Amino acid sequence: MDTASTGAYDGVRTAPRALATEAVHAGRDDLARQGLHAPPIDLSTTYPSYDSRAEAARIDAFATDGAGLAGPPVYARLGNPTVARFETALARLEGTETAVAFASGMAALSAVLLALPTPGSARAGQGPRHVVAVRPLYGCSDHLLTAGLLGTEVTWADPDGIADALRPDTGLVMVESPANPTLAEVDLRAVADACGPVPLLADNTFATPVLQRPAGQGARLVLHSATKYLGGHGDVLAGVVACDEEFAGRLRRIRFATGGVLHPLAGYLLLRGLSTLPVRVRAASANAAELARRLAADPRVARVRYPRLGGAMVAFEVHDDPHEVISLVRLVTPAVSLGSVDTLIQHPASLSHRIVDADDRRGAGVTDRLLRLSVGLEDVDDLWADLDRALGAPRERQGAEALREAVR
Ligand code: PLP
């Protein structure tokens, strides 16, 4: 029986396997026995059944604990077999019990915030859910918390100040490491210890499970904008939370009620993206490390940030106008987002972090001269040639020209 067309894919338990093996096989373990190679894409929005008593019982069970439905999904907002394959695979890569996929990274974060218990009462609207978070975060995540759009109240803290910022009503601690866009890193194990019983959410979008598995360091929730490295080709918008079954049940019920589901075609593309994730991340990281080295040695560059962990993101500050650099690249694509096979550059103060108050932004290290580079798989010398040209005239010559200009 093809579980992908008649029922939710519930995974096949196998012996522990290396990350590279999981990346290629997780979520696909049942295929060969069905005579299939590529995973089927199930586009059904509804699933016929002649037994409505059984359907009622299954919906009741889902409403109680949000457990993944055994058998056909009933309706696509409750679950989809193709998406379930991606969820199973990502959970295997992150080393968590399960994962819940959403229509975008922001939909995933929204579901986490809505899933937090309301302090003092089981009834919604009894008071804000308190979140402690470390800046910088991706600009829209910062905005969602700062504006309290989903009824949360945020306290911003340094990693060392997390324990002091916790309150009896704190429902979540949130960090990004390496952070967008400064690539600041936190010691996840130390942060998880400081959280005590409060769940820690680590946004692992930049590192991916290839470089870091936050669940193994004490994070209860691992969030991805799957739009980035997991998809890997700039053609899928998606989010996912890897976590334990209990929290996943809450997230599935929120997803069912609010509708931020992932489309099955996106689930298929993400599963395909995962199979090359380790090779893409390692190759792009090697390029990024080399570009970080060349930028750091260049007098036109004031400062370079490259994570101790490694990775394919580089942030750097220029002495001159960063907008000029953006306007002059030709091989590198001037665009927001990251994690694609091609190299992208953007100016966070203008784009990814524009929505954050300027003082808060600068206070978090997102200066007006900072540029963020998402390094892809092109030849590193071609990338450097483009950046070198876009950075403008060598600084000594610039100085001489400026002098001549002043004398004239
Ligand atoms: N988290 C990080 C670190 C991000 O960079 C982004 C988007 O850039 C998000 C979350 C939000 O993800 P999405 O754009 O898929 O909603």
Side-chain angles (χ1 to χ4, degrees):
M1 186 200 291
D2 175 9
T3 53
S5 63
T6 60
Y9 173 74
D10 58 3
V12 176
R13 281 279 145 209
T14 53
R17 303 181 294 200
L19 186 101
T21 309
E22 291 290 12
V24 174
H25 287 278
R28 302 165 184 255
D29 294 308
D30 61 321
L31 291 179
R33 273 176 288 110
Q34 297 182 61
L36 297 172
H37 190 221
I41 304 174
D42 182 346
L43 293 173
S44 302
T45 54
T46 191
Y47 294 83
S49 167
Y50 291 99
D51 186 353
S52 42
R53 284 188 198 85
E55 301 236 300
R58 289 169 58 231
I59 289 175
D60 285 350
F62 181 82
T64 309
D65 61 7
L69 292 183
V74 180
Y75 185 61
R77 195 154 29 74
L78 275 142
N80 172 274
T82 311
V83 171
R85 291 183 182 280
F86 163 64
E87 293 172 329
T88 299
L90 194 268
R92 296 288 293 229
L93 293 182
E94 285 290 4
T96 57
E97 283 177 3
T98 189
V100 185
F102 293 88
S104 69
M106 291 315 299
L109 179 56
S110 297
V112 170
L113 298 179
L114 291 171
L116 302 180
T118 309
S121 164
R123 275 189 296 132
Q126 282 295 296
R129 293 168 292 243
H130 183 240
V131 176
V132 172
V134 176
R135 274 188 167 129
L137 296 177
Y138 163 59
C140 215
S141 305
D142 186 311
H143 173 64
L144 184 60
L145 293 174
T146 304
L149 292 178
L150 295 174
T152 54
E153 178 194 347
V154 66
T155 300
W156 297 103
D158 289 333
D160 295 344
I162 286 173
D164 290 340
L166 295 179
R167 305 192 318 214
D169 62 340
T170 305
L172 185 75
V173 174
M174 177 170 179
V175 298
E176 276 178 21
S177 187
N180 186 355
T182 61
L183 308 180
E185 292 167 274
V186 300
D187 177 343
L188 288 174
R189 169 64 66 195
V191 168
D193 288 348
C195 291
V198 179
L200 169 64
L201 182 155
D203 186 323
N204 203 29
T205 300
F206 275 33
T208 84
V210 177
L211 300 178
Q212 165 177 278
R213 305 222 265 174
Q217 298 180 61
R220 183 163 180 202
L221 304 162
V222 182
L223 185 140
H224 283 270
S225 168
T227 314
K228 312 299 177 345
Y229 291 100
L230 305 189
H233 296 74
D235 53 8
V236 189
L237 196 69
V240 64
V241 181
C243 58
D244 54 82
E245 270 300 341
E246 193 278 325
F247 210 103
R250 289 192 245 163
L251 292 175
R252 289 189 200 105
R253 278 179 290 162
I254 298 283
R255 184 177 64 177
F256 174 53
T258 59
V261 293
L262 184 68
H263 193 274
L265 281 174
Y268 175 88
L269 287 171
L270 288 165
L271 187 66
R272 187 163 78 169
L274 288 187
S275 59
T276 54
L277 182 70
V279 284
R280 281 188 286 107
V281 168
R282 291 204 183 96
S285 299
N287 273 354
E290 177 58 19
L291 290 180
R293 195 187 63 73
R294 294 188 193 184
L295 287 166
D298 196 297
R300 296 165 294 182
V301 174
R303 184 174 177 193
V304 176
R305 304 171 198 218
Y306 185 67
R308 278 193 304 275
L309 190 70
M313 301 297 296
V314 181
F316 62 101
E317 288 170 28
V318 285
H319 288 292
D320 297 328
D321 185 358
H323 300 284
E324 277 294 300
V325 180
I326 297 283
S327 73
L328 288 171
V329 288
R330 291 295 174 266
L331 178 65
V332 174
T333 303
V336 76
S337 200
L338 59 122
S340 186
V341 287
D342 57 325
T343 300
L344 309 180
I345 193 166
Q346 66 113 9
H347 181 237
S350 298
L351 289 168
S352 61
H353 291 69
R354 187 71 189 169
I355 200 159
V356 180
D357 170 80
D359 288 340
D360 291 341
R361 195 169 65 218
R362 290 179 192 128
V366 188
T367 68
D368 293 350
R369 290 185 186 273
L370 187 75
L371 290 163
R372 193 193 73 188
L373 196 60
S374 167
V375 181
L377 301 176
E378 301 93 334
D379 180 88
V380 73
D381 290 326
D382 288 338
L383 289 173
W384 178 248
D386 196 40
L387 285 175
D388 183 33
R389 209 181 28 72
L391 282 167
R395 204 152 167 79
E396 313 78 62
R397 215 171 70 219
Q398 275 178 356
E401 271 160 19
L403 197 63
R404 272 200 298 279
E405 200 63 30
V407 168
R408 227 177 264 150

